[in-house]
Amino acid sequence: MNLKEFASHLGLSQTTVSRALSGYPEVRAETRERVMRAARELGYRPNTAAIGLATGRAGAIGIVLRGTGFGPHATEFLGGLGGRLQADDIDMLISTVESEEAELSIYRRLAASKRVDGFVLHSPRLGDPRLALLEELGLPFIVHGRAQAPGCAFLDIDNRGATRQATRLLLDFGHRRIALVNGHRGMVFAEHRHEGYCEALGEAGIAIDPSLTGNGDFTDEMGFRLTQSFLAGAHPPTAIIAGSMMSALGAMRAIRAAGLTAGEDVSLIAHDDVFAYLSPENLIPTLTTTRSSIRAAGTRIAELLLQRLKGRPAEELREVWPVELVIRRSTGRPRATG
C-alpha cells in the first residue's frame, strides 16, 4: 500500500496523512491518532520520498565532525543519537572535515541542497561562528554543549559543577597540589571545567598553579604525557583530575611508570562518559569518577531536535544535566598527611 492508497483508505489528503505521520503540530490530535492507529493495523510503513514530497522534509539530520571526530566519545554519542532518530525513520548524514572553513562550507551546502531538516552541532567553542551561521541558514539545530548565544536549543552536563565537586573531594581528603587534565582551551566545556576547578581551589585559599593544568585531546597518550610532565615537576601533584576515562588510562600508566601507585601515592578522579567496554569498577584500583552517559545524551539530543523540527521554540529546549560523583578506591588522603 502506497501513500496515495493509504490516504484514500482513510478519506484524507496525502498531505494530511504525511503530516500526521511526521508529527506536525497543526494536525488535530484525533486525526493524528486515527492515522497512526490505521498505520499500525494495516502495517503501513511510509515511503520516505513520498513523505518528503508531501511535507517538504528530507527525513535526515546533519552532523559534521572535525579532526579526530570518530573517537570513542563520538561513537557513543552517535549510537544514542542514531538509535532514537531511527525510531522515527530519520537518517543521519555525517560529514567529516579538517578545518573550520570546511565545516562552515558544509553547513551552507547541506542547507542549500535541502538534504537535511536540521543539524546537531557538537563541541561548541567560545565565540563559535557556527551558531550565527546556522541561525542565518534558518534550519533548526540543537547544540550538544552549552550554547553561548541566545535563541539556541542545547543539552549540556554541569561541567563546572562536576569539576568543582571533584576538586572539593580531593581538598577534603587533604590534597593541596591538584592537577587538571582538561580538553582544549576555548572549548566551552573545557572552560567550564577549568572554572569549576579554579572556584574550588579559590574557596580553599589555594593559588592556581598553571604548571598543574594541561589541555589536549582526550586520549590515552595525552593523559600519559601530561601526567608524566606533572610528576616530573619540582613540586608534583598528589592528586589528578582527568577529563575522560581515556585520559585517565594514560594518567594511570604514567603513575605506574614513575614507580608510584594510583590511589596511594597519587589520587585520581576521571569523568566517565559510561562506555560499555571501559568500566571504572574493573580498573585497579577502582576509579573515582564524575559520571554522565554520553549515549544517553545522544538519545536526548535526538528527542529535543525532533521537538524542534515540530515547531517547539528553541528557548524551551535547554537542559543542563547534573553529574554524579562516585567515590571508589583511587582517591584517599595524601601520604604526606596520612
Side-chain angles (χ1 to χ4, degrees), residues 110-126:
L110 289 177
S113 68
K114 302 188 184 301
R115 294 168 62 193
V116 297
D117 299 311
F119 292 101
V120 173
L121 186 150
H122 68 98
S123 302
R125 302 180 289 278
L126 298 178

Side-chain angles (χ1 to χ4, degrees), residues 288-311:
T288 296
T289 59
T290 55
R291 181 171 64 184
S292 183
S293 168
I294 196 169
R295 179 174 286 264
T299 300
R300 184 58 179 161
I301 284 276
E303 292 170 348
L304 294 174
L305 182 56
L306 290 172
Q307 293 181 45
R308 186 77 185 93
L309 293 176
K310 293 173 184 177

Side-chain angles (χ1 to χ4, degrees), residues 35-55:
V35 171
M36 299 301 291
R37 184 170 59 251
R40 290 192 295 269
E41 292 172 352
L42 297 172
Y44 174 73
R45 296 283 292 177
N47 178 278
T48 303
I51 284 186
L53 288 172
T55 65

